[in-house]
Amino acid sequence: PDGQAHMVLSHVHLMNRRFDDALIVGREAVQLRPNCTNANGFFANVLHFCGEQHDAIEHVTWAIRYSPVYPPFFADVLSLALLFDGDCEAAIAVAGESLRINPEGQVARLSMIAANWELGEFKKAREIAERLTATDSTFSVEKFAKLQPYRNTEDLQTFVSKIKSAGLPA
């Protein structure tokens, strides 16, 4: 068995919204490669979309620890998991780190927008939304939302309502 192949299959299941299969195969990937940065980081993404934020935070934190040079994707996953777990200030800090690595990062900006909105920092949220649309004039919340494989549609609706409220185009 190959942990990397399991991780790819886990994400295929996630994108096909076969959530239980994604979790099973993702867990197998981490069991096969417990110290693997990619296995833990990508499994954290599956956990986030399946609503298991605490475990997502744990796995992506391990992935970042295992690899001091990590992709901004890992910071994005951590920021979103923190946001969905209710720690908006930490989500903003981690999204800031993601933007340091990848200044054009869309997911990091969306996380910052939602977290700032949740904290009542409406002006900051709107400013970040304006920067996002300045870098991607084709962005639309609807287009973004269609691509997000959240198991719990209420999680997605809550996230979308925050970023829409900040002025992003529907």
Side-chain angles (χ1 to χ4, degrees), residues 15-42:
M15 297 314 294
N16 288 319
R17 285 144 168 87
R18 293 175 52 188
F19 301 108
D20 291 334
D21 292 335
L23 288 167
I24 289 167
V25 176
R27 281 192 180 92
E28 289 172 358
V30 172
Q31 286 172 349
L32 290 167
R33 299 176 63 116
N35 297 324
C36 175
T37 297
N38 289 332
N40 279 282
F42 284 92

Side-chain angles (χ1 to χ4, degrees), residues 14 17 19 48-53 84 141 144-162 164:
L14 176 67
R17 285 144 168 87
F19 301 108
H48 163 68
F49 281 109
C50 290
E52 298 183 22
Q53 307 309 332
F84 280 64
V141 173
F144 169 79
K146 282 183 184 177
L147 299 174
Q148 305 309 303
Y150 282 99
R151 177 178 226 162
N152 181 348
T153 56
E154 288 178 20
D155 286 345
L156 178 60
Q157 290 169 353
T158 300
F159 184 54
V160 163
S161 73
K162 290 174 189 169
K164 270 176 134 173

Side-chain angles (χ1 to χ4, degrees), residues 24-130:
I24 289 167
V25 176
R27 281 192 180 92
E28 289 172 358
V30 172
Q31 286 172 349
L32 290 167
R33 299 176 63 116
N35 297 324
C36 175
T37 297
N38 289 332
N40 279 282
F42 284 92
F43 183 47
N45 189 54
V46 170
L47 289 164
H48 163 68
F49 281 109
C50 290
E52 298 183 22
Q53 307 309 332
H54 180 74
D55 288 343
I57 292 165
E58 185 176 324
H59 280 279
V60 77
T61 300
W62 288 340
I64 290 169
R65 191 174 309 134
Y66 293 148
S67 178
V69 179
Y70 55 88
F73 172 72
F74 290 175
D76 292 344
V77 171
L78 180 54
S79 179
L80 287 170
L82 289 164
L83 171 69
F84 280 64
D85 198 45
D87 192 345
C88 294
E89 287 158 358
I92 291 168
V94 173
E97 174 61 13
S98 178
L99 288 171
R100 185 190 66 75
I101 300 167
N102 177 22
E104 303 302 315
Q106 188 177 82
V107 172
R109 279 196 168 87
L110 293 170
S111 182
M112 287 180 107
I113 292 165
N116 275 293
W117 196 265
E118 181 69 23
L119 292 171
E121 297 289 342
F122 306 124
K123 184 178 179 194
K124 279 185 191 173
R126 286 187 183 101
E127 289 170 358
I128 298 164
E130 287 171 12

